[in-house]
Amino acid sequence: MDLEQMMKAAQEAAQQLQTQMGEAQAKLDTIDVEGASGGGLVKIKATAKGRITGVEIDESLLVPAEKQMLEDLIVAACNDVKAKADEASNAEMSKMTQGMPLPPGMNLPL
């Protein structure tokens, strides 16, 4: 195989990888995850890509005197759903890159 053929093969492989990455990114937006805090009193739904799709707050928290606690629970639920979205995203991306000959330490962008 001459240099020109090798370059063409590398370009084709890069284009294929780019297509697969685009497909994987689109799939991440279809995977749903849910984070919660306060024993489920606050729930945040998101996609594995991190797009928030819903918020559910138990009525018992809708008391003006409990405003600070509610705000804290929302932050905690957001952090929980973000962690789960990252986990789902990493799992999905590792499926795609499994068996792919990447140099040690090279990570594909998410």
Side-chain angles (χ1 to χ4, degrees):
M1 184 181 281
D2 67 13
L3 183 59
E4 188 176 319
Q5 289 173 323
M6 289 174 59
M7 291 296 291
K8 185 177 179 181
Q11 286 175 333
E12 288 173 359
Q15 287 173 340
Q16 182 179 11
L17 179 60
Q18 189 172 16
T19 299
Q20 289 174 337
M21 289 292 292
E23 291 169 357
Q25 288 290 323
K27 185 174 182 181
L28 292 178
D29 213 32
T30 66
I31 297 171
D32 295 318
V33 293
E34 183 177 286
S37 66
L41 294 174
V42 174
K43 297 177 185 174
I44 306 285
K45 294 178 183 174
T47 67
K49 198 169 182 177
R51 184 175 55 88
I52 303 295
T53 59
V55 175
E56 184 180 320
I57 300 171
D58 188 274
E59 288 183 20
S60 67
L61 296 174
L62 301 178
V63 178
E66 301 298 326
K67 180 180 181 285
Q68 182 63 51
M69 181 181 67
L70 175 57
E71 291 169 347
D72 292 344
L73 288 172
I74 291 171
V75 169
C78 285
N79 289 332
D80 188 42
V81 79
K82 172 74 170 109
K84 289 177 179 173
D86 288 346
E87 184 179 305
S89 176
N90 289 337
E92 194 61 35
M93 294 306 284
S94 71
K95 286 181 199 174
M96 189 191 94
T97 60
Q98 197 170 29
M100 197 179 280
L102 296 175
M106 181 182 173
N107 295 321
L108 295 175
L110 297 181

